[in-house]
Amino acid sequence: MKEWFTAAEIAALKLPGMPESESGVWRIAKRDGWQHPERQCDVVTNPRGVWRTRDKKQGGGTEYHYSLLPSRAQAALVRKHHTPTEPTRAEIKQRLSSEEAWSHFEGLPEARKDKARTRLKVLQDVDALIRAGTPKEVAIQLICGPVRIPTRTYYEWETRVHGVERPHWLPHLADRYVGRTVEAEITPEAWEAFKADYLRLEQPSAKSCYDRLVRAGRDLGWVIPSSKTLLRRIESEIALPVRVLTREGVEALKRLYPPQRRDRSMFHALEAINGDGHRFDVFVKWPDGEIGRPMMCTFQDLYSGKVVGWRVDKSENRDAIRLALGDVIEDYGIPDHIWFDNTRAFANKALTAGSQTRFRFKIRDEDPVGLCVQLGIEVHFTLPYSGQSKPIERAFRDMCDRIARHPAFAGAYTGNSPVTKPENYGAKAVPIDEFLKVLSAELAAHNAQAGRRSQVCDGRLSFDEAFAASYAASPIRKATAAQRRLWLLAAEGVRASTARGEITLFGNRYWTESLLDHRGQPLIARFDPHNLLDDLHVYRLDGAYIGAAEVVEAVGFADAGAARDHARARRAFIKATRAYAEAEIRLSAAEVAALAPIPGDLPAPEAKVVRMPSGTPAPTSMGQMRRKPLQPAPITPAEQARLTALEAELAPAEVVPLPTRETRETRFARALDLERQREAGQPIGDAEAGWLAVYRTQPEYRAMAKLYEDFGDAVLTA
């Protein structure tokens, strides 16, 4: 539509409210100040001016903008020069469907949406006046005039929604311009070289890539725009996931993908737990003097988020994990499912051998079944270092702040990386006992903190409260006494003493009456290394359970009360043993002897074999008996000398009288005398020392020592 008119052209249009002569139009222009100098239109200084000087090539003179005319004249002018036309078939084909229009509208900024809403209100207001009987030109001027909306602009909006259903006008009134689309010229080879250099895991800066590109393109004659232009093209043409993958790697790309949100409320308390290890950023001092950062093996209830079991050790090892799981079972019960990393520590055979989803170590048929499989716990493995797979990682983040930075550990905090070391790094190391006290208190506070925002706690409950409420109403599997011993550590090769069957382990003595039958035998002992004062569970090498051995604590030498207690316990042991013996032996020795018959006079046995005579034959007649014996021949001097030498050679040695026969009492008394001499510092001979060493290994010595301990010197006179 034409917007600028001369006075002669306005008069020729014969508009309502305007004179039909050029002079009349001049008079109105002079009266209303149309040609005021400040209202002159200039593209630079006053682009909104309402009059301007026409080009001399077009005849010169002055032109006026149609907005100076009265409303009725403007409406008539618009009606003559702008008539809405039906959209062509091509326009209808190109027009967006309502669904596409709404989709485009949703992606627009809010400012452009507000403009479309303003246009819609103008169209609706004009339509309402028209329906009320107001002429259309008048209605347009009444609505568009006060807000300075040109009439031609209104008709443009009306054209956009022509043929569109009224409920879908709004998205069609939104502007569809997309900004600048012209790309700067660049040689294709240069563009490929820049992409290959910039999109690397080494993450070179755009400036260094651009400098190399310019140096290479200088000799090759490449057309290269500015570095900012290249970066804008990278961002517009290369998708963000591709840029992240090529410059930051797969792990960064994984973080772009939304994590799976798992609903843990499907479980009940202790139905499922997850475990992991966390190394604290604190220096501690272990009992052996070693200084290092402690590792905590922890188990968390998946339903409530409560920490239900933990153990601290120097490293993440199978023993600490097994004992932590044992604490969970001992304190609460046996879970049905367990999630932890498929690492060498958590997937060890002692825990998971026999699990169907275990892919660590070699699987052999002779491997023993793991603890989890024996207890009926289904094992699930997750990816190591994947916090999205284990909710316990969220708890570790709190522990880093509340425990590692605790004021009790000031000076022992190490920082969570080499570049975040505090100023007082390595100032001290906390004793492990003090660390465990603070850790236990902070974990209890972690579980008791109210207002947790998990789905189960709902911003009101603590982990303890959520766990207790579900635990009270859930079916919980409890471990039997035999199952509770499965997670204790096994010390193979311990040997019961030959005297009383005692077992010595880590400086402690353990004993139970059942060990008397296994004196001197190698056995297997199961124990808790963190509580060595608990009972020691003893097994034979074939796995048969013997019993629980209590610790035998050492007492002060002058502790009379402890001595009385020990004597009382020993008397009870002797009394019980005698009662047991009386119950087992029901016949006396006389009754046993009476059962055997006493033999009477028996007939003399008849000889069946006659021995043949030997030596000089017996005389057979009296004549032989009266016959004189033969006289021997005389011995020569040489024979006599030879006989004397032979008798001297064959003379028997001096006979040493046999010692008096010793009894077991005298032998034991002899041993006591030798031991007392040795204790008093008196020397004893090598022969006596050798005899004593051999005698002390004999069962007789051990039996007499036991009797001497119970009855004193009375056993020496028996």
Side-chain angles (χ1 to χ4, degrees):
M1 170 185 169
K2 185 178 179 181
E3 297 182 6
W4 298 90
F5 300 90
T6 63
E9 291 174 342
I10 294 175
L13 291 174
K14 299 181 180 181
L15 299 175
M18 293 297 294
E20 298 182 359
S21 63
E22 182 178 359
S23 59
V25 175
W26 279 114
R27 286 194 298 270
I28 292 177
K30 185 177 180 180
R31 182 193 67 187
D32 296 339
W34 286 7
Q35 205 168 341
H36 191 278
E38 295 181 357
R39 304 181 70 181
Q40 183 178 1
C41 179
D42 186 87
V43 177
V44 178
T45 61
N46 189 15
R48 298 181 64 85
V50 293
W51 70 275
R52 67 184 182 182
T53 302
R54 189 166 59 171
D55 191 358
K56 293 182 179 181
K57 294 181 180 180
Q58 298 179 356
T62 303
E63 291 182 330
Y64 301 98
H65 194 266
Y66 80 97
S67 61
L68 294 172
L69 302 176
S71 300
R72 291 179 60 192
Q74 288 187 36
L77 181 63
V78 170
R79 185 169 59 255
K80 290 182 178 181
H81 291 82
H82 188 285
T83 302
T85 57
E86 293 291 331
T88 63
R89 181 174 298 180
E91 292 175 343
I92 295 176
K93 184 176 181 180
Q94 294 178 358
R95 180 176 294 173
L96 293 174
S97 65
S98 298
E99 182 177 353
E100 293 173 342
W102 279 111
S103 178
H104 174 262
F105 181 78
E106 289 178 346
L108 294 177
E110 196 63 29
R112 292 172 65 179
K113 291 181 180 179
D114 290 340
K115 288 183 179 180
R117 295 186 185 104
T118 301
R119 295 167 183 175
L120 176 63
K121 187 176 185 305
V122 169
L123 292 180
Q124 290 174 340
D125 291 345
V126 171
D127 184 68
L129 291 178
I130 294 174
R131 291 176 180 272
T134 305
K136 184 174 182 179
E137 292 79 4
V138 177
I140 293 174
Q141 291 303 319
L142 290 175
I143 300 301
C144 298
V147 293
R148 298 180 63 85
I149 297 176
T151 305
R152 66 181 184 85
T153 302
Y154 171 82
Y155 280 113
E156 180 186 352
W157 297 344
E158 193 176 69
T159 303
R160 292 188 185 185
V161 298
H162 184 78
V164 179
E165 296 181 1
R166 191 178 295 269
H168 303 299
W169 280 7
L170 178 60
H172 289 276
L173 292 173
D175 293 329
R176 294 190 55 80
Y177 58 82
V178 294
R180 177 183 176 186
T181 59
V182 178
E183 293 183 356
E185 182 182 0
I186 182 175
T187 305
E189 291 80 2
W191 172 239
E192 295 298 330
F194 183 79
K195 287 193 299 181
D197 192 6
Y198 181 74
L199 299 176
R200 291 186 289 122
L201 291 176
E202 292 76 13
Q203 299 185 14
S205 65
K207 182 67 170 59
S208 64
C209 296
Y210 183 76
D211 292 343
R212 285 190 290 270
L213 182 66
V214 171
R215 290 198 303 268
R218 188 179 297 120
D219 298 333
L220 298 174
W222 288 348
V223 177
I224 302 173
S226 66
S227 60
K228 292 185 177 180
T229 301
L230 292 176
L231 275 181
R232 284 195 297 268
R233 185 169 178 181
I234 285 284
E235 294 175 357
S236 62
E237 294 188 8
I238 308 300
L240 176 62
V242 177
R243 300 201 305 268
V244 172
L245 175 64
T246 54
R247 285 183 61 86
E248 301 179 36
V250 178
E251 293 300 325
L253 180 62
K254 288 181 180 178
R255 291 193 291 269
L256 293 182
Y257 196 83
Q260 184 181 33
R261 180 171 295 177
R262 301 180 180 180
D263 183 11
R264 290 185 278 156
S265 62
M266 60 177 290
F267 297 120
H268 61 72
L270 205 68
E271 182 179 358
I273 62 176
N274 70 133
D276 201 358
H278 176 71
R279 188 175 294 279
F280 285 100
D281 301 324
V282 178
F283 279 139
V284 301
K285 186 174 183 180
W286 300 94
D288 59 1
E290 181 181 350
I291 295 177
R293 295 163 54 205
M295 169 67 75
M296 180 177 67
C297 299
T298 317
F299 285 97
Q300 177 196 45
D301 176 53
L302 278 178
Y303 170 78
S304 62
K306 176 180 179 178
V307 176
V308 291
W310 56 275
R311 286 292 179 109
V312 173
D313 208 333
K314 294 181 180 179
S315 64
E316 186 181 75
N317 55 75
R318 66 176 187 178
D319 294 337
I321 297 170
R322 184 165 65 175
L323 291 172
L325 179 59
D327 291 342
V328 176
I329 301 172
E330 184 76 26
D331 296 338
Y332 301 103
I334 303 175
D336 295 330
H337 302 271
I338 187 170
W339 273 265
F340 42 53
D341 291 344
N342 192 17
T343 58
R344 296 180 65 87
F346 277 95
N348 65 83
K349 293 184 178 182
L351 277 179
T352 62
S355 176
Q356 297 298 321
T357 57
R358 178 176 170 272
F359 302 104
R360 279 282 184 179
F361 308 102
K362 293 183 178 179
I363 300 176
R364 300 182 177 89
D365 294 336
E366 62 271 16
D367 286 341
V369 178
L371 173 62
C372 293
V373 179
Q374 292 185 60
L375 296 176
I377 304 175
E378 186 175 350
V379 180
H380 307 269
F381 292 105
T382 63
L383 294 176
Y385 310 107
S386 176
Q388 301 173 356
S389 306
K390 302 182 296 298
I392 197 172
E393 296 282 359
R394 175 63 179 83
F396 288 158
R397 190 177 70 182
D398 290 344
M399 296 177 192
C400 290
D401 179 43
R402 299 179 180 272
I403 298 178
R405 295 184 175 92
H406 195 276
F409 305 150
Y413 178 67
T414 65
N416 57 7
S417 71
V419 298
T420 59
K421 292 181 180 179
E423 187 71 20
N424 59 352
Y425 176 84
K428 72 172 185 179
V430 182
I432 184 61
D433 293 338
E434 180 181 345
F435 175 81
L436 293 178
K437 290 179 182 178
V438 176
L439 176 61
S440 179
E442 289 299 322
L443 287 179
H446 172 82
N447 289 333
Q449 181 178 343
R452 293 292 186 176
R453 292 180 294 178
S454 65
Q455 185 175 0
V456 174
C457 296
D458 195 25
R460 299 179 296 103
L461 304 177
S462 66
F463 293 154
D464 280 335
E465 292 170 340
F467 180 85
S470 176
Y471 187 84
S474 302
I476 305 297
R477 292 190 298 154
K478 292 292 186 178
T480 64
Q483 288 176 322
R484 284 197 294 269
R485 294 190 291 267
L486 291 176
W487 56 78
L488 298 178
L489 302 189
E492 301 183 7
V494 298
R495 184 178 294 273
S497 68
T498 56
R500 288 173 292 274
E502 290 177 331
I503 293 178
T504 302
L505 189 66
F506 299 110
N508 295 326
R509 295 184 301 149
Y510 302 86
W511 184 82
T512 183
E513 185 178 348
S514 303
L515 290 175
L516 292 174
D517 296 331
H518 303 278
R519 292 177 298 171
Q521 297 180 7
L523 302 171
I524 299 175
R526 290 188 177 272
F527 63 96
D528 184 348
H530 297 157
N531 195 356
L532 293 174
L533 297 182
D534 278 353
D535 292 348
L536 190 73
H537 298 279
V538 187
Y539 297 78
R540 295 202 310 248
L541 293 182
D542 59 2
Y545 183 61
I546 295 177
E550 298 180 355
V551 64
V552 181
E553 299 183 9
V555 297
F557 187 82
D559 192 344
R564 285 193 298 270
D565 294 339
H566 181 267
R568 189 180 301 110
R570 185 174 59 188
R571 286 195 299 268
F573 166 70
I574 295 174
K575 182 179 179 180
T577 304
R578 285 175 177 171
Y580 180 76
E582 291 175 359
E584 289 292 335
I585 305 174
R586 300 184 180 183
L587 296 178
S588 63
E591 290 174 337
V592 174
L595 295 178
I598 299 176
D601 296 336
L602 297 178
E606 180 181 358
K608 300 297 184 181
V609 180
V610 179
R611 182 176 179 180
M612 295 297 295
S614 59
T616 304
T620 57
S621 63
M622 292 299 295
Q624 290 182 352
M625 295 179 63
R626 289 192 297 266
R627 185 179 299 170
K628 294 181 180 180
L630 296 176
Q631 295 295 327
I635 301 176
T636 64
E639 291 177 345
Q640 184 63 41
R642 182 180 178 186
L643 179 61
T644 302
L646 184 61
E647 289 176 353
E649 183 180 352
L650 298 178
E654 182 180 357
V655 178
V656 179
L658 295 175
T660 306
R661 181 180 179 185
E662 288 185 333
T663 64
R664 61 178 182 177
E665 290 80 7
T666 57
R667 281 191 295 270
F668 185 71
R670 179 185 173 190
L672 287 179
D673 291 339
L674 293 176
E675 290 176 347
R676 290 168 183 167
Q677 292 178 19
R678 177 178 290 176
E679 292 177 357
Q682 300 177 3
I684 60 175
D686 295 339
E688 294 294 339
W691 175 85
L692 178 61
V694 175
Y695 179 63
R696 294 184 66 176
T697 62
Q698 303 301 316
E700 177 185 302
Y701 174 81
R702 293 193 293 270
M704 291 300 294
K706 178 63 176 175
L707 292 174
Y708 183 77
E709 181 181 353
D710 295 337
F711 302 103
D713 293 338
V715 300
L716 302 179
T717 59

